[in-house]
């Protein structure tokens, strides 16, 4: 049986998302924005109630905003995946022979000899051709499909978990050590998260940790400065 020429690639755009990485970024956001917010309020000379209120409002607003943003962005990824799937379904209907050749070529490129690649492609196509194409051509794996609601919830939870750290530091520390507690707890958490995030992404850990340390310190110093200015002006 002569092998038909491989069909040209149909220009699919598969998207992959690493939720663990998204969670690290969400927690990072929660720490930086809440620490900045709480420090700004502390620097203004506000009392415990105002600090707590601002911190909780910041946590809730940030978590909701993360959830909304994530939901919108992952929904459009899901739309792309759905369009890819639909395109694949139509191609299989219109040109099953061409699609079989395409699948064979994919297995050949992965190192199987022609005969075996054909055999694998035929067997998998008899079983569930669409599933084989979706997995091996589009690279969409079922456990990595875009799930907007899951993404929204996990980033909101990650943001809240991060935001709780400076908030708890502000609440639990004695008044005289409040600023120091927020800064130390937040920077320590940022460094740990930065290292963890770099590890997940396969990047060196020290530069990543130093980077978040730099940005985190700058954010806190700036909001603290603004809070102090507003506190003396008002
Ligand atoms: Zn295909």
């Amino acid at each position: 049986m002569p092998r038909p020429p491989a069909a040209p690639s149909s220009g699919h755009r598969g998207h992959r998302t690493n939720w663990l990485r998204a969670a690290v970024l969400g927690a990072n956001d929660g720490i930086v924005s809440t620490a900045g917010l709480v420090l700004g309020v502390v620097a203004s000379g506000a009392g415990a109630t105002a600090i707590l209120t601002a911190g909780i409002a910041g946590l809730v607003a940030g978590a909701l905003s993360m959830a909304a943003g994530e939901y919108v962005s992952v929904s459009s990824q899901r739309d792309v995946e759905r369009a890819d799937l639909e395109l694949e379904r139509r191609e299989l209907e219109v040109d099953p022979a061409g699609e079989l050749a395409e699948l064979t070529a994919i297995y050949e490129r992965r190192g199987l000899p022609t005969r075996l690649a054909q055999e694998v492609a035929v067997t998998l196509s008899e079983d569930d051709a669409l599933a084989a194409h979706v997995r091996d051509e589009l690279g969409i794996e079922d456990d990595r499909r875009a799930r907007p609601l899951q993404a929204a919830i996990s980033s909101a939870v990650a943001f809240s978990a991060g935001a709780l750290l400076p908030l708890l530091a502000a609440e639990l520390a004695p008044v005289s050590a409040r600023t120091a507690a927020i800064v130390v707890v937040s920077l320590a958490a940022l460094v740990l998260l930065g290292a963890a995030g770099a590890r997940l992404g396969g990047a060196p850990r020290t530069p990543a940790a130093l980077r978040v340390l730099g940005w985190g310190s700058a954010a806190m110093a700036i909001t603290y400065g603004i809070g102090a200015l507003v506190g003396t002006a008002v």
Side-chain angles (χ1 to χ4, degrees):
M1 180 168 76
R3 193 166 61 82
S9 163
S10 13
H12 293 294
R13 264 165 297 169
H15 286 259
R16 292 185 169 188
T17 321
N18 187 333
W19 294 123
L20 215 47
R21 240 187 95 101
V24 169
L25 292 177
N28 210 81
D29 261 15
I31 296 169
V32 174
S33 67
T34 310
L37 180 62
V38 170
L39 278 173
V41 180
V42 168
S44 76
T49 313
I51 295 168
L52 183 64
T53 308
I56 291 172
L59 183 154
V60 174
L64 290 176
S65 145
M66 291 284 288
E70 205 55 16
Y71 188 84
V72 168
S73 115
V74 177
S75 290
S76 54
Q77 281 182 28
R78 186 197 49 192
D79 293 345
V80 171
E81 283 183 7
R82 282 186 175 165
D84 271 354
L85 246 71
E86 198 38 54
L87 178 61
E88 202 57 45
R89 202 189 312 269
R90 253 178 289 139
E91 284 176 354
L92 279 163
E93 262 172 35
V94 172
D95 182 18
E99 286 297 302
L100 184 64
E102 187 183 55
L103 202 57
T104 305
I106 287 166
Y107 297 135
E108 274 189 285
R109 273 201 301 278
R110 291 192 190 164
L112 295 186
T114 307
R115 187 73 69 71
L116 185 57
Q118 254 168 6
E119 210 175 305
V120 170
V122 168
T123 309
L124 289 179
S125 297
E126 278 167 357
D127 181 36
D128 186 345
L130 185 60
H133 281 263
V134 165
R135 184 186 58 236
D136 293 328
E137 182 192 344
L138 307 186
I140 303 175
E141 284 171 48
D142 212 38
D143 59 345
R144 299 183 86 168
R145 293 278 283 278
R147 291 185 174 83
L149 201 58
Q150 188 191 56
I153 292 169
S154 60
S155 47
V157 168
F159 182 94
S160 306
L164 270 178
L165 296 173
L167 195 51
L168 283 177
E171 281 311 296
L172 299 178
V175 177
S176 58
R178 207 178 249 151
T179 302
I182 296 168
V183 170
V184 169
V185 165
S186 302
L187 290 183
L190 282 175
V191 167
L192 287 176
L193 268 178
R199 197 175 169 192
L200 288 171
R205 268 175 272 180
T206 311
L210 288 177
R211 239 172 269 143
V212 292
L213 196 66
W215 281 101
S217 309
M220 284 188 255
I222 290 167
T223 53
Y224 188 90
I226 290 171
L229 276 177
V230 172
T232 45
V234 174

